[in-house]
Amino acid sequence: MAENAGTLSAYVSRLRQIWAWHGSPGAEEIAGRIQGQIFSMSADQVEAYLRGETVPESSMELHVLLYGITDGYGRAWSTGPDEPESQVAAVLRLWSEVTDTPKGPDTTPLPVVPDRIDPSTSHAAPPVLEVVIEVASYLGAAGLGGIIGNRTDSVAVRAASRLFQSVRDRWQSRGEGTDGPLSEEEAVDAAIAAALAHDYRLEALRVAGAEQRPDGSWRVSLTAPLLTLRVRVPAGDPADATILIIPE
């Protein structure tokens, strides 16, 4: 770890700003939200992270911590018109300096379906092809076991499965019935989960905007290296949703 006390202090300050902006949830609450994610954390670990006594060992672990603090990835990724970078981007940048990891998104390829190009690592813009993600295939035993069609177990599958399940749990807890729309944050999280399911790395994604349509569906814009993704998230039970990703 870097011996730069100033950078560590700035990193912790940013992390605690996000924590305060999202209601200052308790360590037990944060740890509870994280259960079922890729990494689990105890309340003591969460406290140590918030105090700067230790820092996450990987960027994915940091993302999971932020998921627990904000109760979803969406809001912390968003930027306002006068904000140069999102809350997450600022924390990730400082975290990389504290841990001496390379700056910028990690674009190491994840396991992918044979003959599919990983768009996060391509040096040329990939063909514009619509991608359909069936949420149901990522829920339940198949998703949690990490086997989707001919895909083998991978971090991306587990992350997408658990994020889809989190979206559905939150939607159901509001009692919206069979056709209620998702909230903006739920739609953003569903869009991110769909992008993860198609092998885009979480570190490479940025939320550029979200617009609700008259039918209750959402169009979420995500940016990734070399392209923008338009993600259409329908209204109603997320378990029945077919999410469409259109690269631009």
Side-chain angles (χ1 to χ4, degrees):
M1 182 182 299
E3 297 294 331
N4 189 334
T7 301
L8 177 60
S9 176
Y11 159 76
V12 175
S13 176
R14 276 288 192 173
L15 190 63
R16 290 184 64 84
Q17 276 183 343
I18 293 177
W19 175 73
W21 288 335
H22 292 278
S24 304
E28 291 282 357
E29 182 180 356
I30 294 171
R33 293 171 179 174
I34 290 170
Q35 300 308 311
Q37 291 292 309
I38 302 167
F39 298 98
S40 60
M41 297 176 192
S42 67
D44 288 343
Q45 285 177 301
V46 172
E47 284 281 5
Y49 289 144
L50 288 175
R51 292 175 180 173
E53 296 170 359
T54 186
V55 298
E57 294 183 358
S58 70
S59 58
M60 184 61 79
E61 188 176 3
L62 174 58
H63 283 295
V64 171
L65 174 64
L66 289 166
Y67 176 92
I69 291 172
T70 64
D71 199 18
Y73 295 113
R75 286 180 295 171
W77 273 111
S78 301
T79 59
D82 299 322
E83 297 173 324
E85 59 183 358
S86 68
Q87 299 171 32
V88 170
V91 170
L92 185 61
R93 174 174 50 79
L94 290 167
W95 170 87
S96 69
E97 294 180 16
V98 172
T99 57
D100 284 331
T101 58
K103 298 178 183 179
D106 178 5
T107 56
T108 303
L110 288 169
V112 295
V113 176
D115 300 324
R116 179 188 295 170
I117 297 174
D118 182 350
S120 71
T121 59
S122 175
H123 294 290
V128 178
L129 298 173
E130 295 184 357
V131 178
V132 173
I133 303 294
E134 299 286 350
V135 175
S137 64
Y138 284 82
L139 298 175
L144 294 179
I147 302 174
I148 308 295
N150 64 341
R151 292 188 60 167
T152 58
D153 190 8
S154 72
V155 170
V157 170
R158 294 196 302 275
S161 297
R162 289 164 177 168
L163 189 49
F164 278 136
Q165 187 64 60
S166 173
V167 170
R168 188 170 192 243
D169 289 346
R170 281 178 280 158
W171 179 83
Q172 288 182 316
S173 72
R174 292 189 287 109
E176 291 290 353
T178 59
D179 58 357
L182 276 65
S183 68
E184 179 176 353
E185 184 168 345
E186 290 162 356
V188 168
D189 283 359
I192 291 173
L196 289 176
H198 193 55
D199 300 316
Y200 290 93
R201 295 188 67 90
L202 183 60
E203 292 91 339
L205 297 173
R206 301 290 183 271
V207 179
E211 175 189 2
Q212 189 169 29
R213 315 309 291 271
D215 62 359
S217 65
W218 287 87
R219 187 174 76 173
V220 179
S221 295
L222 303 176
T223 60
L226 304 177
L227 81 166
T228 297
L229 308 176
R230 285 192 291 117
V231 186
R232 296 178 183 175
V233 181
D237 189 345
D240 298 328
T242 298
I243 296 179
L244 181 67
I245 301 175
I246 305 175
E248 294 181 341

